[in-house]
Amino acid sequence: MEFRVLGRLEVVRDESPVDLGAFRQRALLALLLTAPNTVLSTDRILDELWGTDGGREKQNALWVYISGLRKALEPDRERRSEGTILLTRAPGYLLQAGPNQIDSVRFERMVAEGRALVDVEPAVASVVLGESLALWRGRAFEDFTYEPFAQAEIARLEELRLEAVELRVEADLARGLARELISELESLVRQHPLKEGLTGQLMLALYRSSRQAEALRAYQLLKSRLGEELGIEPSPPLRKLEEQIVTADDAVAPLLPQNVTVGFTGPGLGVRGYELREGLDEDELGTAYRAYQPAVGREVQIRVIRPSVANDPAFIRRFQVEAQRVATLDHPHIVPLYDYWREPDAAYLVTPLLRGGNLARVLDQHPLTTSEATSMVDHV
């Protein structure tokens, strides 16, 4: 059994999704998952889910939803028993789950592990933190964004996610990945314009990519924002970083990349505001990755065109024109192109993440039946 809250609420049993029923029943499970293995009193549950509405009827409704969740989570439990997951414990109920059964708990544990490794094993830390971020499928408790009971936990998890991103970037900077991080950091600074740590990382990445003037402009922009909006100066560590960049201090000198191939972008790195995750497939053009776009909280697919193709003059001439044409297409049966760009050694195509794969993959697995083929032709 696996409980997933880093996105829409999902429960998976033996690799199959569990039907959790109506919204209020799902909300009850979400509330219990904000404090797993902790007893929540009946009064608190009623107040969180119904507030002052419902009168005595809400107590009856709660019993119905408890029964419905037990049936959904443990359909094979003994009749009239509470099972082993959703337990009655005075003065209310608790959801019992192991540390590996809830994605948010696994995420917290992996972030703590990555935090401890950043300064001693940055390459390992980058992998661990990248894997922790790959657990996210959207925004935390996405179905319950506007429910009061979820607000504090959503804010806590989102803040921890941002910390994980900063730690992963710190590890990648220590690995010598400066140029590869610039586009991601520029996007993060736009999303969090007053976050000094992100601006400091952007300054360092720009400086180590021989873009000293841009690094100093990033500092001045933050300084102006802090002064205008909060009436304060940048922190002493950030002022020291600016001084080190101005004086070309050896302490912030560029680092040699560790085990990085020019032009390669792999899982755990970010490109222009997208966090790359695991590879999906590879063809003659390049590799497709599952990716996450934090700015809008959605998963996408990014195809990274290999350097031998992306640097070909004929490809360069066609790429912009053809991508613009595809981007104008709008039809339910045509995969939309969300974004595209080209840079030295790579080009990128961003589309929705289609979990069903493509026709070629289906045909590799089995031939189509007459009805399947007819349906597809009809749609085309």
Side-chain angles (χ1 to χ4, degrees), residues 264-270 276-277 289:
F264 171 78
T265 305
L269 289 178
L276 293 191
R277 298 186 174 173
Y289 295 93

Side-chain angles (χ1 to χ4, degrees), residues 15 32 71 144 174 206 229 286 317 359 378:
E15 301 185 1
L32 292 167
K71 185 174 182 180
F144 311 101
L206 287 168
E229 298 187 29
R317 286 194 299 271
L359 182 58
D378 184 52

Side-chain angles (χ1 to χ4, degrees), residues 4-10 103 135-146 150 153-155 157-159 161 191-192 277 292-299:
R4 300 173 181 172
V5 300
L6 301 179
R8 292 181 61 83
L9 176 63
E10 293 180 356
D103 60 356
L135 294 173
W136 286 72
R137 299 167 290 106
R139 300 185 186 278
F141 291 93
E142 192 169 286
D143 324 47
F144 311 101
T145 301
Y146 303 107
E153 187 66 1
I154 289 173
L157 288 171
E158 292 288 349
E159 185 64 27
R161 188 194 70 81
Q191 295 169 49
H192 307 279
R277 298 186 174 173
Y292 179 60
Q293 188 179 9
V296 294
R298 68 180 174 188
E299 287 193 307

Side-chain angles (χ1 to χ4, degrees), residues 57-71:
E57 295 301 318
K58 59 186 181 183
Q59 176 68 74
N60 295 331
L62 176 58
W63 289 334
V64 171
Y65 292 142
I66 290 289
S67 176
L69 279 178
R70 283 174 172 159
K71 185 174 182 180

Side-chain angles (χ1 to χ4, degrees), residues 47 71 75 91 134 190 206 227 278:
D47 288 343
K71 185 174 182 180
R190 284 194 297 272
L206 287 168
E278 76 270 11

Side-chain angles (χ1 to χ4, degrees), residues 11 55 67 84 124 127 137 185 200 221-222 254 271 323 330 332 347 366:
V11 176
S67 176
T84 60
V124 178
V127 172
R137 299 167 290 106
L185 283 167
L221 183 58
L222 175 66
V271 290
D330 181 15
H366 61 81

Side-chain angles (χ1 to χ4, degrees), residues 117-305:
L117 289 168
V118 165
D119 294 329
V120 291
E121 290 283 355
V124 178
S126 178
V127 172
V128 171
L129 291 163
E131 290 177 352
S132 77
L133 290 165
L135 294 173
W136 286 72
R137 299 167 290 106
R139 300 185 186 278
F141 291 93
E142 192 169 286
D143 324 47
F144 311 101
T145 301
Y146 303 107
E147 298 298 317
F149 75 80
Q151 298 301 306
E153 187 66 1
I154 289 173
R156 187 185 73 83
L157 288 171
E158 292 288 349
E159 185 64 27
L160 188 60
R161 188 194 70 81
L162 183 58
E163 181 191 350
V165 172
E166 288 189 68
L167 287 168
R168 200 220 74 234
V169 170
E170 183 181 339
D172 287 338
L173 281 170
R175 295 169 59 205
L177 303 177
R179 181 176 64 85
E180 293 86 349
L181 292 167
I182 290 173
S183 60
E184 177 185 15
L185 283 167
E186 288 174 336
S187 175
L188 287 167
V189 168
R190 284 194 297 272
Q191 295 169 49
H192 307 279
L194 299 179
K195 197 86 171 174
E196 290 195 17
L198 292 173
T199 294
Q201 290 178 328
L202 175 60
M203 291 166 61
L204 200 55
L206 287 168
Y207 176 69
R208 289 178 174 174
S209 302
S210 302
R211 296 162 66 175
Q212 182 185 32
E214 292 174 70
L216 295 174
R217 274 200 297 273
Y219 174 81
Q220 291 299 329
L221 183 58
L222 175 66
K223 183 178 180 180
S224 297
R225 286 181 181 137
L226 290 174
E228 292 170 4
E229 298 187 29
L230 302 177
I232 61 175
E233 287 284 315
S235 64
L238 202 65
R239 295 202 299 270
K240 180 180 179 181
L241 176 60
E242 184 218 15
E243 181 183 340
Q244 289 174 313
I245 291 175
V246 169
T247 60
D249 192 323
D250 288 343
V252 294
L255 303 175
L256 291 176
Q258 302 175 12
N259 302 322
V260 178
T261 304
V262 175
F264 171 78
T265 305
L269 289 178
V271 290
R272 295 212 180 181
Y274 300 93
E275 298 171 3
L276 293 191
R277 298 186 174 173
E278 76 270 11
L280 299 174
D281 65 64
E282 190 168 357
D283 60 20
E284 66 277 2
L285 287 179
T287 303
Y289 295 93
R290 181 171 71 93
Y292 179 60
Q293 188 179 9
V296 294
R298 68 180 174 188
E299 287 193 307
V300 297
Q301 174 178 301
I302 297 183
R303 185 164 294 279
V304 182
I305 309 299

